[in-house]
Each structure stands twice: as C-alpha cells, then as structure tokens.
Amino acid sequence: MDRVTPTAVRKAKGRGITALTAYDYPTARLLDEAGIEVLLVGDSLGMLVLGLPDTTGVVIEDILHHLRAVSRGASHALVVADMPIATYRTPVEAVTNAKRLAASGAHAVKLEGGSTCAEQIRAITDAGIPVMAHLGMLPQHIREEGKYKIKGKTETERQFLLEEASVVEGAGAFAVVLELVFPKTAGEITDAIQIPTIGIGSGSQCDGQILVVHDLVGYSPWFVPKHVHPEAEVGNIISRAAHAFIARTRRVDSPEAHPRIADSK
Ligand code: KIV
C-alpha cells in the first residue's frame, strides 16, 4: 500500500476521509494497520497525554517528541503535526517551526486560523510543506473564548466562516478541519470550496471526519464531548486489568487487611 499524500487527500473530497489523532507508537501502528488515512499528532496531547487543562501549554518539543514515535508506527498514513500556540506568529517563525516538524517525520502541518494566518499558510506551502487549516472553534483560543462553543450558527459567523474557508483554500491549504461548526454551515462550506473539509463535531456533511483517538476508544472517560460516540471502553479494560493484577499478586484476599504500601509505613 502506498503512502497517503496531501494530493490524495485533496482528491478524496467527498469520499469520507478518515483521520484520527495519535500520540504514540503502538496507537499509530494499530490505526495505520487498520487503514486510517490521516494521523494527526494534535496539540490535544496536552490534555490527553500530559494532563494539562487545555492546549495552550503545549510547546513544540512536546509535539516533536510524540511525532517521532507516531512516525515510526505509521507506514501508510499521512502524518500531520499540529503547530502549537505561538509557533507561527509570523511567516518566518511558521516556516522555521514547520521545517522542524517536517524533519521529525511530519508530512504536513496543521495550524489554527484563517485570514490571521493566511500569510503563514502561504509561506509554509511555498517552503514545500503542505498545510492543513483549522477553522471553527479554535482550541488555542480557549482562554479568550471561555468555553468550547459551536461556531457558524448566526448569520455573521456563517458568513465569516465561509470567507475564512475560501481564504485558507486560496492561501494553499490542502484540507481544512472544521471544529464544532454548526452542521448546516459546515455543509455549505464543504460545497463552497474545492479542498476537503474534515469535521469534528460539525455534522455528517463534511468530506471526512477526525476524532481524538482517546475519545473514540473510551480512554478518557472523565470527559466525553457531546459529539463523541465511543466504539470501545479502553479505560474500563485498563482498570479491570489493574484490578486483576492486584488480585493475583496480593497475598491476602481482603483489601482492608492489605492497605497500599505507601499507607502502611
Ligand atoms: O489537536 C487536536 O486533536 C485537533 C483535533 C481536534 C482536530 O486539532
């Protein structure tokens, strides 16, 4: 099987492109072998892997570290790396950091925003690194926004998003993630541009779907976003395995008679 390329993704508009996040080697390998076409080393790793409250504390070294692991596990999928906050404030900074990500295995990079970073998208693309854009709810702006909310429901937001989508397409992006976009608006954007839309919490009319892998497999049971329908309960499986290990290892049956070592001094 050949490597999925940005051109192939672009040509797959309307064909149900499959994308998931991945942050480590075994997950990347399993998803790759299952046939997932795009693996995103998302800055969501801040919450899902590092235990941070949001993505704003993620730095490029975090992405580079996880990207190298994912790229070892991905033989066929297109590996896309997120550019963390404050790594693409100017076109020069954006190109420098996109090159670092490409050198560590990213076939493409993703950044958040439309007209505010059109020059960055153009500069990275001109440097030979394909760019996936990201519109709608922008998690790197969560501190200003206050909460994760649906975008594109009002006429003003709908118009704004339609314009932003055409800006990122014009700047050279090969695809655009639409996060938490009102489904009707996501459908209109999908019809209005030539590049594929990849939705997350934006309804079924996008050209593809992306999910955080932890959400798909139930590995983050503390918080399940509304748009997620988990296909597995990995959190429960791990918990059960840990209990089974405790049961077969401890030499007395009653947990009360055998407190945790740390408590027993
Ligand atoms: O970081 C991430 O996981 C993302 C997805 C939500 C698209 O950007």
Side-chain angles (χ1 to χ4, degrees):
M1 213 201 299
D2 291 339
R3 170 79 65 189
V4 177
T5 61
T7 308
V9 170
R10 198 181 169 134
K11 284 193 187 147
K13 185 168 172 74
R15 283 198 245 139
I17 299 153
T18 56
L20 288 172
T21 64
Y23 316 106
D24 59 45
Y25 172 82
T27 310
R29 188 165 165 180
L30 287 166
L31 301 181
D32 189 78
E33 289 176 2
I36 296 296
E37 291 150 322
V38 179
L39 295 181
L40 170 69
V41 185
D43 58 2
S44 53
L45 71 82
M47 294 92 88
L48 280 315
V49 181
L50 304 178
L52 296 170
D54 55 48
T55 63
T56 63
V58 175
V59 294
I60 195 156
E61 285 72 22
D62 296 325
I63 300 284
L64 289 167
H65 179 76
H66 290 271
L67 168 62
R68 284 190 285 268
V70 166
S71 101
R72 284 180 207 115
S75 308
H76 306 295
L78 180 79
V79 176
V80 181
D82 248 344
M83 301 198 69
I85 192 166
T87 62
Y88 53 96
R89 288 166 294 191
T90 64
V92 171
E93 182 179 59
V95 171
T96 303
N97 286 316
K99 283 185 178 169
R100 289 179 74 190
L101 294 166
S104 287
H107 305 122
V109 298
K110 177 167 82 58
L111 48 76
E112 295 182 8
S115 38
T116 53
C117 48
E119 283 180 41
Q120 285 84 329
I121 295 175
R122 171 56 60 210
I124 299 169
T125 311
D126 285 350
I129 302 168
V131 177
M132 181 179 276
H134 185 150
L135 297 174
M137 175 62 211
L138 305 179
Q140 290 175 9
H141 291 260
I142 186 64
R143 300 272 166 115
E144 300 100 274
E145 296 269 340
K147 62 178 180 153
Y148 296 92
K149 41 188 170 208
I150 298 281
K151 299 284 181 175
K153 206 167 178 178
T154 64
E155 183 51 27
T156 315
E157 283 185 2
R158 174 185 160 274
Q159 267 306 330
F160 174 73
L161 282 176
L162 277 159
E163 280 158 26
E164 291 286 85
S166 120
V167 166
V168 297
E169 176 176 34
F174 71 93
V176 55
V177 167
L178 297 182
E179 179 161 359
L180 298 184
V181 172
F182 186 57
K184 190 163 172 289
T185 305
E188 285 181 55
I189 294 170
T190 301
D191 291 343
I193 58 177
Q194 304 302 308
I195 58 173
T197 57
I198 304 185
I200 174 162
S202 301
S204 57
Q205 291 177 55
C206 297
D207 297 305
Q209 296 290 331
I210 184 162
L211 271 186
V212 166
V213 68
H214 286 51
D215 292 340
L216 178 69
V217 303
Y219 191 18
S220 181
W222 311 278
F223 172 68
V224 183
K226 275 198 203 127
H227 62 268
V228 169
H229 305 286
E231 296 286 351
E233 292 188 2
V234 166
N236 286 344
I237 292 173
I238 292 177
S239 186
R240 274 206 301 276
H243 281 107
F245 177 70
I246 291 168
R248 78 181 184 214
T249 304
R250 282 199 182 145
R251 295 204 181 134
V252 285
D253 291 338
S254 154
E256 290 77 29
H258 202 88
R260 285 184 186 207
I261 293 167
D263 298 339
S264 62
K265 297 236 173 69

